[in-house]
């Protein structure tokens, strides 16, 4: 396979506007298209290209297939104390999870904790985007999402669980840089396999398996990804399915494995208000003290700096806001093809 990088650079605002135009032309309501584009470009800014604009052709395909409803009408279906459930009506994930963030923060302001489950939504992308929003509201945020089987369950040779991610974010004195952990339960996010395919690159043999359950370095042959840390990754994914899907009333894995039915996507946001634990300033002060203690650790050999969760992404985003966002040749080609189909002008930077 070719390893030639073949990348071009585009400014954030131009890429966001182009992405929103593609999604709207592909069936998303205008505000849903803008929210989705903002989430996707947020990921590209931070180097998470696997969750960036390369997803647009698939999002449009999902809308055409009815997996996503571009004109969905989500509604609050249940509220009990600090817990709420939203029926997403297959709304685009960026919009659905943002609704869950707003509701969880609202509940946390009243009860000290807020939990909002959203069922029947769609792919939510890089979920650190949502916990960062909670942290910027001065609270600790926890997010999880669940989907159909995409990942090998440890001890089997086929998909048994999904790549269900978890993110936790905490506010700090540096409002521009909360601490944000965002991780998949897989050895690698499925989007990274997609990114390698777009870039024409091979992948490590511990990323995924082919249709026979055999490890492969060819991203075009990957049938399922492998779990992070073996039984730990598949076990954590299974428990996220229970928290996000079973508890929320829309089981996904059992529906897929026993009924051969795709029940969509689910998400969960938890917001924790520091005022429930004491003075609001105490949390940010102690988070900063902890961060400084970690940053002051001696770097490992060959490492320039000890980084906090999310820090690498913030540093890269600052640079890409100035220099532009690089896109792989394969991604540009697929976005340009979608634009051609729908009469959308391709920005000069991508021609």
């Amino acid at each position: 396979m070719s390893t030639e990088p073949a990348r071009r650079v585009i400014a954030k605002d131009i890429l966001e506007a182009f992405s929103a135009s593609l999604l709207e032309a592909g069936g998303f309501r205008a505000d849903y298209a803008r929210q989705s584009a903002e989430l996707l470009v947020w990921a590209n800014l931070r180097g998470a290209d696997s969750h960036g604009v390369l997803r647009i052709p698939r999002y449009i395909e999902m809308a055409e297939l009815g997996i996503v409803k571009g004109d969905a009408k989500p509604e609050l279906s249940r509220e009990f104390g600090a817990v709420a459930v939203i029926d997403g009506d297959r709304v685009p994930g960026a919009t659905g999870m943002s609704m869950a963030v707003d509701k969880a923060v609202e509940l946390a302001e009243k009860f000290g904790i807020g939990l909002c489950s959203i069922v029947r939504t769609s792919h939510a992308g890089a979920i650190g985007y949502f916990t960062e929003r909670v942290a910027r509201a001065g609270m600790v945020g926890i997010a999880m999402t669940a989907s159909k089987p995409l990942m090998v369950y440890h001890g089997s040779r086929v998909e048994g669980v999904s790549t269900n991610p978890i993110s936790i974010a905490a506010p700090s004195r540096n409002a521009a840089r909360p601490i944000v952990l965002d991780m998949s339960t897989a050895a690698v996010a499925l989007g990274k396999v997609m990114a390698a395919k777009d870039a024409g690159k091979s992948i490590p043999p511990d990323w995924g398996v082919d249709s026979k359950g055999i490890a492969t370095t060819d991203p075009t042959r990957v049938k399922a990804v492998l779990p992070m840390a073996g039984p730990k990754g598949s076990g954590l994914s299974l428990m996220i399915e229970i928290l996000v899907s079973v508890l929320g009333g829309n089981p996904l894995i059992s529906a897929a494995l026993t009924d051969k039915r795709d029940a969509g996507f689910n998400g969960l946001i938890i917001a924790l208000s520091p005022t429930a634990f004491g003075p609001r300033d105490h949390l940010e002060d102690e988070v900063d003290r902890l961060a400084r203690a970690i940053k002051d650790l001696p770097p490992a050999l060959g490492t320039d700096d000890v980084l906090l969760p999310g820090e690498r992404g913030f540093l890269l985003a600052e640079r890409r806001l100035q220099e532009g966002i690089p896109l792989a040749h394969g991604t540009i080609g697929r976005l340009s093809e979608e634009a051609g189909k729908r009469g959308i002008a391709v920005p000069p930077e991508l021609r």
Side-chain angles (χ1 to χ4, degrees):
M1 297 182 69
S2 169
T3 57
E4 190 172 336
R7 295 161 79 84
R8 294 181 189 170
V9 174
I10 184 169
K12 168 189 174 289
D13 291 346
I14 296 173
L15 182 58
E16 222 170 74
F18 178 50
S19 299
S21 295
L22 286 175
L23 289 166
E24 187 174 359
F28 282 49
R29 208 172 79 183
D31 54 339
Y32 293 173
R34 286 194 302 272
Q35 288 170 318
S36 298
E38 183 179 309
L39 168 62
L40 295 172
V41 175
W42 183 93
N44 283 117
L45 276 172
R46 284 154 180 77
D49 295 339
S50 59
H51 288 69
V53 297
L54 68 77
R55 298 271 182 168
I56 289 175
R58 175 56 181 161
Y59 281 10
I60 292 173
E61 181 184 31
M62 289 167 75
E64 291 172 342
L65 293 171
I67 299 170
V68 175
K69 286 175 67 175
D71 61 348
K73 295 176 177 60
E75 60 180 21
L76 187 67
S77 61
R78 180 173 173 79
E79 188 166 348
F80 184 86
V83 176
V85 180
I86 296 172
D87 184 331
D89 189 35
R90 300 202 297 276
V91 69
T95 299
M97 288 292 282
S98 292
M99 291 177 66
V101 166
D102 292 341
K103 188 62 182 178
V105 168
E106 174 194 318
L107 291 169
E109 287 172 344
K110 182 177 180 181
F111 296 105
I113 182 171
L115 185 154
C116 186
S117 174
I118 179 162
V119 297
R120 300 198 316 125
T121 181
S122 67
H123 185 261
I127 63 173
Y129 172 85
F130 305 107
T131 56
E132 183 183 320
R133 282 190 53 191
V134 177
R136 291 189 187 282
M139 300 183 185
V140 173
I142 303 171
M144 295 171 250
T145 58
S147 62
K148 66 182 181 181
L150 298 168
M151 182 172 80
V152 172
Y153 188 85
H154 184 73
S156 79
R157 65 173 182 270
V158 297
E159 305 100 311
V161 287
S162 192
T163 57
N164 296 347
I166 180 169
S167 177
I168 305 173
S172 70
R173 283 291 174 201
N174 183 352
R177 283 197 201 170
I179 296 179
V180 183
L181 171 73
D182 183 352
M183 56 173 273
S184 170
T185 50
V188 63
L190 184 61
K192 287 193 175 182
V193 177
M194 295 168 61
K197 182 179 177 182
D198 271 1
K201 295 181 178 180
S202 60
I203 60 173
D206 58 351
W207 278 18
V209 297
D210 61 19
S211 59
K212 296 179 180 179
I214 299 170
T216 180
T217 59
D218 183 348
T220 66
R221 296 179 59 191
V222 171
K223 177 69 165 51
V225 293
L226 290 163
M228 167 198 73
K232 296 180 181 179
S234 58
L236 180 56
S237 175
L238 187 69
M239 299 313 292
I240 291 174
E241 164 69 5
I242 292 172
L243 288 170
V244 177
S245 303
V246 177
L247 196 59
N250 185 40
L252 304 182
I253 297 300
S254 55
L257 296 182
T258 63
D259 302 335
K260 309 302 179 187
R261 179 171 57 86
D262 186 347
F265 298 76
N266 303 316
L268 176 70
I269 297 288
I270 301 171
L272 297 164
S273 173
T275 57
F277 299 86
R280 177 176 288 273
D281 291 346
H282 179 72
L283 173 66
E284 293 182 359
D285 289 342
E286 286 302 314
V287 167
D288 277 6
R289 189 159 76 100
L290 174 60
R292 286 195 302 272
I294 296 298
K295 294 289 291 179
D296 287 343
L297 293 172
L301 187 65
T303 302
D304 295 328
D305 195 9
V306 177
L307 298 177
L308 298 165
E311 187 176 2
R312 189 187 307 275
F314 283 117
L315 292 169
L316 186 57
E318 289 168 5
R319 189 167 81 240
R320 288 187 170 181
L321 282 171
Q322 297 296 320
E323 300 174 0
I325 298 169
L327 294 180
H329 176 73
T331 300
I332 294 168
R334 292 194 300 118
L335 295 182
S336 299
E337 183 180 347
E338 287 292 342
K341 288 179 190 174
R342 302 171 200 287
I344 303 296
V346 176
E349 293 92 334
L350 299 183
R351 291 177 197 159

